[in-house]
Amino acid sequence: MDLDFLQSLMGGEEMAAAEAAYQDIWVVGEVSGEGLTPATRALLGKARDMANALGVYVKGILFGAQEAAGSEMISYGADTVYLLEGVGLGSFAVEPYVEALARQIESGRPEIVLFNATSFGGELAPRLAARFRAPLFTHCIDLGVDEALRALLATVPRLGGEYYEILVSPTLRPQFATVEPGVLPAPFADPYRYGSVEHVSYDDLPPARVEVLGPFPEGLPEPPLSRSRVIVCVGRGVGDEEGVELARRLAERLGGRLAGTRGALDEGWISEEQLIGMAGQTVRPALYIACGAAGAIQHMLGIARTECLIAINTDPKAEIFPYADLGVVADAKAVLEALNAALAGGS
Amino acid sequence: MRIAVAVKQILDPEGITVNRRRERIFINREERIINPADKCALEAALRLKDAHGAEVIALSLGRPSADDALREALALGADQAVLISDKALAGIDAPTAAVVLARAIERLAPCDLVLVGQTAADTGGDQTAGRLAELLGLPQVLHAVTLSLDGERLKVVRLWDGRPIMVAVAPPALIAVSPLAPPARYPHGARILNAYRQMGVSVWTAGDLGFTAEELRPNIESRGQVFPPERELGNVIEGAPEQMAGEILALLRQRRLI
Ligand SMILES: Cc1cc2nc3c(=O)[nH]c(=O)nc-3n(C[C@H](O)[C@H](O)[C@H](O)COP(=O)(O)OP(=O)(O)OC[C@H]3O[C@@H](n4cnc5c(N)ncnc54)[C@H](O)[C@@H]3O)c2cc1C
Ligand SMILES: Nc1ncnc2c1ncn2[C@@H]1O[C@H](COP(=O)(O)O)[C@@H](O)[C@H]1O
């Protein structure tokens, strides 16, 4: 037996093990007007729990000299925060951000890197994952760890959230994930938590190749109703134009679209294209709020696959109620007014 | 201009029902379709072709049945189609799929544009676009809804956290088209026949692209499925409008709709 060979093999394994010492959980943060975004705070809380289970540190990443947000990251669970600075890291641009973060990951060797599943996270995470030929779990609604494997357990949506799948990569490191904003519980801040904020500077980052020309305010062709996530529907019971206007405003606030029943079409409140049902469109939104709609079968056929149906109708025996996740016996206009007021109040 | 469009064939989600109570997924109708966002990407490529002339190459990695998806792309107006298909690619994971697609696109070089869908409706991966851009060394524009050629540059209206902004990029570039972009045209009857009778789909194996079975082995595993609670219907409440509004908002928060 060739001992040398065996030894070199074992030595080689040790070296590989030393090289493979990926550890710590990193959170790439986002900042809005008042500091860290709520999703970033929640992500830090989750990272803290997982780091405790694995016995490692949580490290936060921010772009730019954001000391205040850096301290905030510590209060939510980070042990160290890196503020990445350099030419090109002022306003967001994909290439310099990816390059700076890739270098930081190369030197710091985290085992898990977490982003919010926002446009910001969605631009960076796939490129970084590709660079390290690493797994990326997107739009996770929950995260956990398999302590034996030291692997991330990622719960990802399938078929647009009809169900979820738990994925794991036993061997590939680092592991990347983006987490859907708003799904993790809000953590507590401990302003007395101890940690350090470090400035890291990169000076030779590649320039951005995509130029942002600005917002695009004019009306885009509206996406078809069939693809709307949120639909506010008016029926005859919404009463008048004013009621329709309140519904339209609610739809806007919720990032959705206005639609209606045959009753509303007959009243001239909506157009043909906005009619939902057998004679109109079939939709499958996450949320459908029906205001003053009776619940005629021809209408209900168009919304059979709605995820969450809320119905507002003055008649407690209205046909629509048995289909609804929540039925509200009340005047549609009054409830719409109250909803708009509550949402305008910034809740 | 030479445009590669990545087209994934998926099981039609409309043919699948998920029974949350029984925690089972039923495939009622095994119909395979072009991923909706990829159809929008094809349409974007064809509009550029109509306006400025272009050679459009549809590319798919998948089982042999993906031939149908590519024939459909040809019928819609693509000029060439390439299917990457091989037993060794079954169950391929996202990191490796992107590497294989990237190598195929390199083989089609020089491409001025690589168009992909933003996300595949089955897995919701939402990552192949960025991965390909990185592997090919291209700038990326994601969530694109309209693109037009303006001199040497492409002007793209894209969504940023749901809001439209306008960006510009010079080819070569990768653009991921949103499923909210204009949907595909209908194929011309004669073209459908042509796509089957006269046009060809080239088939490349993993070996053709220089991969060994070992390199393609998946490294991501499923630990099972989780089903959200079944909906409880018919809960009716009554009260003052403000109170009712509060109840509605509470439900929306609980369901993570706001
Ligand atoms: C072949 C065929 C195809 C059809 N296709 C369609 C279709 O595609 N889509 C469609 O919508 N319809 C369709 N219809 C019509 C359908 O049968 C119903 O007539 C229609 O949906 C009723 O519209 P509505 O609910 O707005 O009006 P109504 O039936 O008039 O109901 C109004 C509801 O509002 C409630 N209400 C009254 N006041 C208030 C208040 N202040 N606040 C809250 N609620 C109040 C009432 O209790 C009532 O339930 C079709 C019909 C036929 C025959
Ligand atoms: N197997 C595949 N064959 C062709 N294109 C693919 C494949 N997988 C992903 N893509 C492309 O990448 C896009 C995003 O996929 P995903 O990242 O899986 O959501 C899809 O819309 C396709 O354009």
Side-chain angles (χ1 to χ4, degrees), chain A residues 234-239 260-264 275-281 291-299 312-315 318-319 330-333:
Chain A
V234 289
R236 195 173 271 128
V238 83
T261 63
R262 178 67 166 276
L275 175 67
I276 304 291
M278 214 173 97
Q281 303 214 41
C291 314
I297 183 68
Q298 295 89 351
H299 176 214
I312 311 168
N313 196 307
T314 41
D315 177 4
E319 268 179 274
D331 177 55
K333 248 164 80 175

Side-chain angles (χ1 to χ4, degrees), chain A residues 244-329:
Chain A
V244 179
E245 192 45 43
L246 287 167
R248 188 194 318 278
R249 226 174 294 155
L250 178 65
E252 246 164 51
R253 287 223 161 85
L254 297 173
R257 302 272 311 277
L258 181 78
T261 63
R262 178 67 166 276
L265 182 66
D266 292 345
E267 296 287 344
W269 297 335
I270 58 158
S271 65
E272 264 327 317
E273 297 83 64
Q274 290 171 296
L275 175 67
I276 304 291
M278 214 173 97
Q281 303 214 41
T282 301
V283 293
R284 52 182 306 181
L287 171 64
Y288 193 87
I289 305 182
C291 314
I297 183 68
Q298 295 89 351
H299 176 214
M300 300 315 287
L301 281 173
I303 59 171
R305 301 187 75 172
T306 295
E307 186 69 20
C308 177
L309 171 63
I310 296 176
I312 311 168
N313 196 307
T314 41
D315 177 4
K317 294 206 188 65
E319 268 179 274
I320 197 166
F321 283 146
Y323 299 99
D325 293 72
L326 179 64
V328 170
V329 181

